[in-house]
Amino acid sequence: MRKLKLEELNRADIETFKAQEKLPVVVILDNVRSMHNVGSIFRTADGFALEKVVLCGITAQPPHREIEKTALGATQSVDWVHFTDTSSAVQSFKQLGYEIIAIEQAENSTMLNTFKPDPTKKYALIFGNEVDGVSDEVMNIIDSCIEIPQFGTKHSFNIVISAGIVFWDFFAKLRL
Ligand SMILES: C[S@@+](CC[C@H](N)C(=O)[O-])C[C@H]1O[C@@H](n2cnc3c(N)ncnc32)[C@H](O)[C@@H]1O
């Protein structure tokens, strides 16, 4: 099989992308430490045309060389905003009518495969710190929690892998 050349992929330019309809999903990063993870989240959010990336607390902000190593320009296409603390971001998106969902391993969580997104709703999906996960303070103010089932020996997935799995799942269930 012949692999497609870049120009054959027919990607939108940044202006066209900005104007196109987005999946009604924002991603909230709760104190994510690695700038490479932040950049990869931007690139993945671009790929699934998410509305916005919300950077909270210590999560690094563009422009930054280390973020760009993995974002590859997606910090220009995907809208973003920074909040000093994650709880303020959650309250703000709650007021805007978003359903707040932690993507986390928690008691009484809903397994991703059984979750059915409502096409009339807007979602704010919170991903946690590489070591501590989503903070307890934030877990106390969410509407619900989605967990990705795991079948191996490791306790959790890398945050970006989790994001890729969840973004694809929402995209497929809402758009395909
Ligand atoms: C490396 S994990 C954090 C692990 C940490 N030990 C903890 O206590 O949560 C980083 C983030 O990835 C996401 N994540 C990883 N595995 C997950 C899973 N199986 N289900 C849902 N989210 C997951 C969560 O957002 C989590 O906060």
Side-chain angles (χ1 to χ4, degrees):
M1 274 184 160
R2 185 183 67 84
K3 291 189 289 175
L4 294 173
K5 296 187 176 20
L6 288 188
E7 57 276 17
E8 290 177 296
L9 293 171
N10 292 321
R11 292 288 181 258
D13 59 28
I14 288 178
E15 258 179 41
T16 312
F17 178 84
K18 291 254 184 215
Q20 94 187 35
E21 195 193 347
K22 301 294 186 302
L23 200 67
V25 172
V26 300
V27 48
I28 298 181
L29 300 184
D30 181 16
N31 289 290
V32 170
R33 184 163 294 281
S34 157
M35 295 195 208
H36 293 170
N37 282 342
V38 174
S40 294
I41 293 278
F42 269 98
R43 186 177 178 186
T44 313
D46 171 285
F48 293 116
L50 302 195
E51 274 181 11
K52 191 172 286 210
V53 175
V54 183
L55 307 165
C56 302
I58 65 159
T59 310
Q61 301 166 56
H64 197 291
R65 231 182 88 196
E66 293 304 309
I67 295 178
E68 283 314 321
K69 278 183 181 168
T70 50
L72 305 180
T75 54
Q76 303 294 314
S77 56
V78 180
D79 288 349
W80 64 271
V81 64
H82 177 261
F83 282 76
T84 312
D85 69 284
T86 311
S87 298
S88 307
V90 168
Q91 298 300 358
S92 169
F93 280 91
K94 252 187 197 183
Q95 277 167 16
L96 291 169
Y98 286 78
E99 181 160 329
I100 311 294
I101 303 182
I103 308 301
E104 194 48 272
Q105 298 160 296
E107 249 175 26
N108 301 319
S109 61
T110 302
M111 287 297 156
L112 179 61
N113 50 298
T114 66
F115 179 78
K116 300 245 180 315
D118 178 341
T120 66
K121 286 188 175 174
K122 306 186 283 186
Y123 293 98
L125 307 181
I126 312 171
F127 293 86
N129 173 271
E130 292 87 339
V131 176
D132 299 324
V134 177
S135 75
D136 291 335
E137 185 187 329
V138 171
M139 290 301 287
N140 286 330
I141 56 172
I142 56 173
D143 296 318
S144 59
C145 179
I146 291 178
E147 181 168 344
I148 309 162
Q150 294 195 214
F151 306 97
T153 63
K154 305 309 293 179
H155 292 111
S156 63
F157 290 113
N158 163 277
I159 176 182
V160 179
I161 301 303
S162 314
I165 293 169
V166 172
F167 296 171
W168 167 249
D169 189 76
F170 271 66
F171 189 92
K173 287 172 179 168
L174 288 169
R175 291 281 190 266
L176 301 183

